[in-house]
Amino acid sequence: MFEFDQYLGFLAFTTILLIGFWLMIFLLTFVVPYWIGGSILEALKEKRDAKKAKREE
């Protein structure tokens, strides 16, 4: 069915495809929510600090 070269190519393609799939799953479930949550918390902290500075003036 497959020659050895075709088999190695198929294995390489499948490996790259699976690595990309799991990387996308990891990014969408862990990295992106962490990034968005951190930016929201940072924005809230800046607003709170601005209100505190305005009150102290």
Side-chain angles (χ1 to χ4, degrees), residues 6-18:
Q6 291 175 328
Y7 180 68
L8 286 180
F10 175 74
L11 281 180
F13 173 76
T14 306
T15 302
I16 292 169
L17 184 74
L18 287 174

Side-chain angles (χ1 to χ4, degrees), residues 39-57:
S39 65
I40 289 172
L41 288 176
E42 190 69 26
L44 291 174
K45 186 189 291 185
E46 287 178 9
K47 286 182 182 179
R48 187 176 61 217
D49 291 344
K51 284 183 182 178
K52 183 187 275 187
K54 190 174 183 180
R55 262 190 255 132
E56 290 177 355
E57 287 180 358

